[in-house]
Amino acid sequence: MTVTFAEKLARMPGYQAGVPTGQAPEAIAAGGIAQLASNESPFPPHPQVVEAIAATAAAMNRYPDPDATLLRRRLAERFETDPSRIAVGNGSCEILLAAAEALCEPGDEILFAWPAFSMYPYLPALTGARETRVPLTGDDVHDLEAMAAEVTAATQLLLLCNPNNPTGTHIPAAEVAAFCARVPSHVTIVLDEAYVEFQTDDDPDASLDLLADFPNLVVLRTFSKCYGLAGLRVGYAIGSATFRAAVDAVRQPFSVNALAQAAGAEAILHQDDVLRRVESTVAERLRVEEGLRGIGLRTAETQANFSWIDLGDAEEGEVVAALAEREIAVRPGTPLGDPGHIRVSYGTASENDRFLRVLSEILD
Ligand SMILES: Cc1ncc(COP(=O)(O)O)c(C=O)c1O
């Protein structure tokens, strides 16, 4: 069946960036806007990462290493695996898109929970595969029972977002393992762990132990969040060598630019710094959650660098607009499939204080 250009365009969900458009990041910071809408790190990259980027900048007349050899080797050392099992991409978004493109045809199925990361609906829309969205439970967690029941012979790709964006809720590693054991091996399971470093209820690396038992499992991670490198666009996946080959076969050559490769290769060496950043963010998480409870608001049980706030009787659009008027950017819940909510990323301590103060005034 031929799909017209207009039909294809109509099924694309359209990405809504949390970042104000037309403004450079430094202008946003200098202008006093509290940018709490994109789950970024409020901390700049490690100074040695900035140095590595600057040192690489002088050789921009050359294309980057198409195989990202150094970056993949350092990742393999960090995760005690073979570089052949590591795929890299222009952000982990590129790996998600490439996985769908490599694995899915019209008639196949892509299964994910909802609400989850707003990019997921792109995957069926781009490939023509059918999508199955399984609602989160009343506690905002993945309904693994219902998801397992939705798997069919046509399911090619199953996405688990852990911790989940936008709710921050997390599936314990033991439950992920039990779920993987129930899913047939023809299904590629992508465990999207963009925020896993912020998880304190479980060992963030527990999922990596599952890779040996489940060859159809892929762990997806990013430098955009805890490493403070969202502006460079670099993510990675650890899975089978076949998955890596599939991603490489469809993504454009050189998609991870030389600056991003150098930054990632340096950043992964500074795990002590990652821990410090994570500790600061987790301390802010406790403070913000307590502050929200103090205002009488209910939140999902977050293990990430953001809170998912139930606004109760308050009108979501009015709250978002009132916050924007006071130069605080947050994510509204409606485009993410859950009206009456906002998602707020943790910024610096003073940004978080400002957010709590202004929100309390708005709701008063
Ligand atoms: C769950 C999840 N996965 C993946 C990504 C993509 O990250 P990036 O493409 O910056 O690596 C995000 C970004 O917000 C996310 O929330």
Side-chain angles (χ1 to χ4, degrees):
M1 189 186 66
T2 314
V3 178
T4 67
F5 173 66
E7 282 165 343
K8 191 150 189 179
L9 198 58
R11 75 178 186 216
M12 292 309 298
Y15 186 75
Q16 270 183 309
V19 189
T21 57
Q23 293 187 51
E26 58 275 20
I28 294 169
I33 297 175
Q35 209 317 73
L36 308 180
S38 298
N39 295 346
E40 299 149 330
S41 172
F43 311 118
H46 188 280
Q48 279 173 265
V49 173
V50 177
E51 270 173 37
I53 295 168
T56 311
M60 280 305 102
N61 50 316
R62 303 288 177 198
Y63 283 105
D65 174 1
D67 291 326
T69 312
L70 178 65
L71 173 58
R72 289 179 40 251
R73 196 179 70 226
R74 295 248 172 103
L75 285 165
E77 283 162 6
R78 157 82 179 92
F79 295 112
E80 295 173 6
T81 186
D82 194 87
S84 65
R85 303 183 59 176
I86 295 187
V88 292
N90 188 271
S92 52
C93 278
E94 187 188 37
I95 301 175
L96 282 169
L97 294 169
E101 206 177 345
L103 298 170
C104 301
E105 302 284 341
D108 292 339
E109 287 172 9
I110 301 178
L111 177 58
F112 51 90
W114 199 252
F117 180 33
S118 55
M119 277 292 296
Y120 294 168
Y122 273 70
L123 278 48
L126 270 177
T127 56
R130 255 194 320 275
E131 68 167 37
T132 307
R133 299 188 195 193
V134 176
L136 299 177
T137 67
D139 290 334
D140 295 314
V141 297
H142 277 66
D143 188 340
L144 294 179
E145 207 46 50
M147 289 184 82
E150 290 290 351
V151 173
T152 71
T155 309
Q156 281 294 331
L157 195 54
L158 190 155
L159 308 166
L160 290 181
C161 192
N162 200 32
N164 187 45
N165 176 9
T167 56
T169 47
H170 123 277
I171 316 164
E175 287 179 32
V176 174
F179 179 75
C180 290
R182 291 179 66 181
V183 173
S185 59
H186 74 270
V187 180
T188 297
I189 304 171
V190 174
L191 185 60
D192 182 348
E193 295 191 329
Y195 304 99
V196 77
E197 294 87 352
F198 301 109
Q199 177 182 295
T200 46
D201 275 1
D202 246 340
D203 170 8
D205 285 343
S207 56
L208 300 170
D209 294 338
L210 304 179
L211 291 168
D213 293 333
F214 303 106
N216 57 330
L217 178 66
V218 175
V219 173
L220 184 67
R221 294 192 177 182
T222 181
F223 284 100
S224 296
K225 309 298 176 182
C226 69
Y227 292 91
L229 289 170
L232 271 182
R233 317 298 304 118
V234 54
Y236 56 96
I238 313 170
S240 65
T242 313
F243 180 82
R244 184 229 155 183
V247 165
D248 281 359
V250 299
R251 71 176 174 90
Q252 64 149 322
F254 309 119
S255 70
V256 183
N257 70 69
L259 303 178
Q261 289 188 30
E266 184 64 33
I268 200 74
L269 299 178
H270 298 277
Q271 291 303 312
D272 47 347
D273 185 54
V274 174
L275 269 183
R276 268 195 299 276
R277 291 154 173 273
V278 165
E279 275 169 19
S280 304
T281 302
V282 170
E284 285 306 295
R285 177 164 82 202
L286 295 173
R287 243 170 40 79
V288 171
E289 286 276 306
E290 195 183 311
L292 291 167
R293 273 193 303 276
I295 310 174
L297 293 169
R298 198 188 73 85
T299 58
E301 217 167 289
T302 181
Q303 283 282 289
N305 62 339
F306 51 87
S307 289
W308 181 239
I309 305 167
D310 184 341
L311 291 172
D313 294 335
E315 216 279 307
E316 173 197 307
E318 285 172 16
V319 173
V320 173
L323 286 167
E325 216 163 278
R326 307 278 293 271
E327 306 213 299
I328 298 173
V330 299
R331 280 277 174 169
T334 299
L336 300 169
D338 217 343
H341 291 78
I342 52 171
R343 189 197 70 193
V344 63
S345 318
Y346 311 133
T348 59
S350 68
E351 286 173 329
N352 298 334
D353 284 342
R354 189 169 129 208
F355 165 72
L356 288 169
R357 192 178 61 248
V358 172
L359 184 64
S360 144
E361 285 166 15
I362 292 169
L363 296 178
D364 205 14

